[in-house]
Each structure stands twice: as structure tokens, then as C-alpha cells.
Amino acid sequence: MHHRTARTLALTLCTVAAALTALTAASQATAEEKASAYPSRPIKIMIGFSPGGSTDAPMRVLAEKAGAILKQPIVIENKPGVGGTMPAQSLQSAAPDGYTLGIASAGVYRLPYTNDIKWDPATDLTYVIGLTGYAFGIVVPASSPIKTLQDYVAQARANPGKLTYSTPGIATTNHLTMEQLSRLYKIELNHIPYKGSAESLQAIVGGQVDSAAETSAFVPYVDSGKLRLIAVWGDKRMARYPNVPTLKESGANIVQTSPWGLVGPKGLDPAIAAKLHDAFKQAMQTKEFKEMLARYEMEPDYKSAKDYRAFAVDAMKREKEILDALGLSRK
């Protein structure tokens, strides 16, 4: 009896093991089938800023090109507000099926230190591909007496708290860099946040603010003579405006760049993430995308999924240091 029970148990265990192996193989096959069938319907990409800015315009071109490669339309959905972080926050409740994606800008890496969130940007997003980065600068109306950063600082000193500047939102790179300038020069500026670059630049052109700390969405306004660029924030001058100095050249030891790219929800199938990566990498090589970036004085800044995630982890450390130094971290 004892031997028969042992043999029955062994046979049962073998059957269970075989069933589990078959189940694993079947689930792997299903995952592979899902990835090979992807995409079978339109894909949505959320952008954290308004239409018409330096995130929206290049991304629409890229989405069209990547959609043609993937043989499904890619729809852009603008979700402005909260410093461009709405897409990353919305992805926390999105299905990880590859049909809902978002653009992550630098504000995402500040969220744990500025907002009460229950998720971690480093681990609760799938980093698909790094795409490009913003160019930044300070612009004033063409009629303004301010022609240099020194003029700007002098104006602020003479009128504490009265010199206004617009940005695409609170806790954006634009806002924090101006806070750094304020601390450096011991001046008091008046920050007026908007929901995106399009509104921020309309405010300065319309005379509602004295200046704007903006991405290169200012290019058309500077080229048309409506605005004057007084300083750029990169490590070198913009090719388009060789006479405009950097912040460093103007006396402020600050260099600011802000890479951004495509992310998905946590748990996105690696095979689907790889398919998206490859399509967008191919789309980045197109003439139309490069031309659109050039229009905004931006350059391709490709990062593989692995490098992009490593960048995010590093960026979170850097952003915490800046926010702590400025006294802007959430208590």
C-alpha cells in the first residue's frame, strides 16, 4: 500500500510539473503572440504641455513617422499642467499594453520632492527611448530697455518683486533655473506660471509679463523681431543666435539642459517596449524630424532604454540636490 501511494504521488507530481511546464510555455507563446500582433489599434501618447510648443511640434512629426513604421496611427493627447508631469502621473493607472504612453520631461524627476506621490519615477515607469532635449533662454519684448543679463539683474534690483517672468509651469526647469539666478544675484523676481510654452509666450507678446524663461519655442518670435533673446542656458551659444551669450558667459555659473523621451506604464512587455524603441529610433533618423528639431534649435539626443533609465535615476539625485539647495523640497 505504502509503495503504491508513493508511486501515485510521484506520478501526480510529474503530471503537475508537466502541466506547469506546458502552462509556462503557453503563456510565453501568448506573450510572444501579443508582442508580434502589436500594435493592432491606434496608440496614444500623452504630452504634458499645450499644443504648438517645443515638445508638441517635434513629437507630432515623430509620432507620424513612427506610426507609419508600426502601421498604426499614433494619436497625441495634450495634458498640460503640474509642470509637464501629467502624462507620467496618468501612466500609473494605465494598462501596460503599449497603447498608452507618455513623454517624460525633467519635472517628473522632481515630483517625489515637490508633491505627495505614492510612486517612484525611477521604478514605476518603463523607459522606452530618450529622444531629444530642450534649449532654453530668457526673452524680453523687442521694445524693452533690457539688452543683457546684467541689465535684467539691474532692473530687478531697482524694482524688487516687480520684474515678472512667465514659464510653462511651477517646478519646471524654467522656473527652478530662474530661482537659481534669483539666489545667485540676490534679487526678487515675480514668477507667473502658465500651462505651457504657447501660453507663456503669448503672455509676453501680449504685454502681460516683462520677460519669459522659455524653451526654444521662442525662436519664431525672436526671428520675427517681436522678442529679444538676452541669454541662453546651454553650455554653448545657439548656432542660430551666435551673438547671444550663455548664462556662464554672462557671469552666472549655470548650465541647463533638459533631456526628454518616451515612457510607458510599469510592467510593459519588454518585447513591446523593444518594438516601440526600434520604431522611434528609426523615426528619429528622418529628415522631417531633424528639420523640426532644428526649427527649435534642438538636437536629437538618443538614449537606449537601459541608458534612459540610468539617466532617470541619476536625474532624480541631481534634482533633489537642487531643490534642497533652493529650499523648495517638500517638508
Side-chain angles (χ1 to χ4, degrees), residues 34-288:
K34 265 190 195 166
S36 65
Y38 174 86
S40 58
R41 56 189 165 92
I43 298 163
K44 178 176 78 177
I45 297 181
M46 298 176 284
I47 292 179
F49 301 102
S50 311
S54 51
T55 313
D56 182 78
M59 201 56 221
R60 283 181 188 274
V61 172
L62 198 59
E64 187 189 330
K65 298 297 175 189
I69 294 161
L70 291 165
K71 297 183 174 55
Q72 281 292 341
I74 297 178
V75 181
I76 298 296
E77 182 181 320
N78 298 89
K79 290 177 82 78
V82 205
T85 63
M86 283 295 287
Q89 301 205 58
S90 298
L91 286 175
Q92 299 312 305
S93 57
D97 56 10
Y99 292 101
T100 307
L101 308 166
I103 295 301
S105 57
V108 171
Y109 312 124
R110 299 180 194 120
L111 272 178
Y113 319 121
T114 57
N115 293 63
D116 183 15
I117 62 168
K118 302 289 187 282
W119 56 279
D120 183 342
T123 56
D124 293 330
L125 292 169
T126 298
Y127 287 85
V128 176
I129 184 171
L131 298 169
T132 181
Y134 301 112
F136 295 95
I138 301 172
V139 286
V140 296
S143 57
S144 170
I146 297 170
K147 292 186 166 59
T148 63
L149 185 66
Q150 289 78 10
D151 291 346
Y152 193 83
V153 171
Q155 179 94 331
R157 283 215 175 107
N159 306 279
K162 290 187 179 165
L163 182 59
T164 55
Y165 72 93
S166 61
T167 70
I170 293 169
T172 52
T173 300
N174 317 50
H175 174 209
L176 293 190
T177 305
M178 293 302 281
E179 286 286 341
Q180 285 178 280
L181 278 171
S182 299
R183 303 291 165 100
L184 182 66
Y185 287 109
K186 297 179 173 60
I187 53 175
E188 192 186 336
L189 299 167
N190 184 359
H191 177 216
I192 314 290
Y194 288 85
K195 282 190 171 182
S197 293
E199 291 95 333
S200 164
L201 287 161
Q202 282 302 318
I204 183 172
V205 170
Q208 280 102 48
V209 291
D210 303 314
S211 60
E214 262 305 338
T215 66
S216 51
F218 56 63
V219 165
Y221 298 98
V222 174
D223 285 357
S224 67
K226 287 179 181 168
L227 298 178
R228 176 187 301 129
L229 181 62
I230 61 168
V232 295
W233 299 2
D235 56 357
K236 60 181 189 286
R237 296 186 182 199
M238 283 189 189
R240 195 185 205 100
Y241 309 115
N243 299 325
V244 179
T246 63
L247 286 177
K248 258 189 151 176
E249 290 172 322
S250 304
N253 192 19
I254 296 170
V255 174
Q256 190 58 265
T257 59
S258 186
W260 52 269
L262 186 67
V263 294
K266 181 181 181 177
L268 181 61
D269 183 333
I272 288 175
K275 212 169 196 182
L276 285 163
H277 166 278
D278 294 350
F280 276 87
K281 188 180 181 188
Q282 198 178 324
M284 284 177 77
Q285 313 304 319
T286 60
K287 181 169 66 78
E288 291 86 347

